[in-house]
């Protein structure tokens, strides 16, 4: 059985280190998604987010909205709004995830893919 050998031009491979242009483009994408998401949220969710550290990251395999909560009460309120936030995020990018982080040392982060929304709607309803 003969083995096929494939040779790639150096231009065909992905760079090991992202270029400064790659980094700037990723930051602009994350900023634009964050702004679009926040502007689409209702006043209740905007107020909750203003009490948290939150950001969008595209470093992982899927875009992730990370919400770091300052206390357990805010963490609970954010979790109660996970379906409307997920619904909005799903309209932006269907492969996104939401990670809600409680205060450090007070539990583990909750993570949900926005394509799992039907499970959470069923539990809430």
């Amino acid at each position: 059985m003969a083995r096929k050998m494939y040779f790639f031009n150096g231009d065909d491979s992905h760079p090991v280190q992202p270029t400064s242009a790659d980094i700037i483009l990723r930051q602009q994408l994350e900023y634009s998604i964050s702004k679009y998401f926040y502007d689409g949220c209702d006043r209740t969710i905007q107020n909750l987010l203003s009490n948290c550290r939150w950001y969008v990251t595209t470093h992982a395999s899927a875009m992730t909205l990370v919400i770091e909560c300052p206390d357990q009460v805010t963490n609970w309120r954010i979790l109660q709004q996970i379906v409307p936030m997920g619904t909005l995020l799903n309209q932006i990018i269907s492969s996104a995830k939401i990670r809600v982080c409680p205060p450090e040392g007070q539990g583990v982060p909750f993570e949900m893919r926005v394509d799992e929304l039907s499970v959470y709607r069923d539990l809430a309803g």
Side-chain angles (χ1 to χ4, degrees), residues 7-68:
F7 296 97
F8 295 99
N9 180 339
D11 294 338
D12 293 338
S13 64
H14 296 287
V16 175
Q17 291 289 336
T19 65
S20 57
D22 293 331
I23 293 167
I24 290 168
L25 288 171
R26 187 185 72 238
Q27 289 172 339
Q28 288 175 341
L29 175 65
E30 291 170 354
Y31 172 80
S32 296
I33 292 170
S34 297
K35 182 169 177 16
Y36 189 79
F37 171 76
Y38 185 80
D39 290 346
C41 291
D42 65 22
R43 179 72 67 211
T44 301
I45 295 173
Q46 287 179 349
N47 288 338
L48 279 171
L49 289 172
S50 70
N51 292 318
C52 302
R53 178 175 183 257
W54 68 277
Y55 54 93
V56 169
T57 180
T58 55
H59 289 286
S61 58
M63 194 224 38
T64 305
L65 168 64
V66 179
I67 304 170
E68 298 175 356

Side-chain angles (χ1 to χ4, degrees), residues 77-124:
R77 289 180 179 156
I78 288 286
L79 289 172
Q80 288 177 314
Q81 297 296 322
I82 200 89
V83 170
M85 287 189 292
T87 301
L88 177 58
L89 205 53
N90 192 32
Q91 293 170 0
I92 300 168
I93 182 165
S94 61
S95 62
K97 297 187 292 187
I98 299 175
R99 181 180 305 131
V100 180
C101 304
E104 194 169 327
Q106 296 187 28
V108 296
F110 173 80
E111 191 167 288
M112 178 195 81
R113 294 188 335 247
V114 297
D115 63 359
E116 299 175 323
L117 278 173
S118 61
V119 172
Y120 297 95
R121 280 191 196 108
D122 294 344
L123 291 174

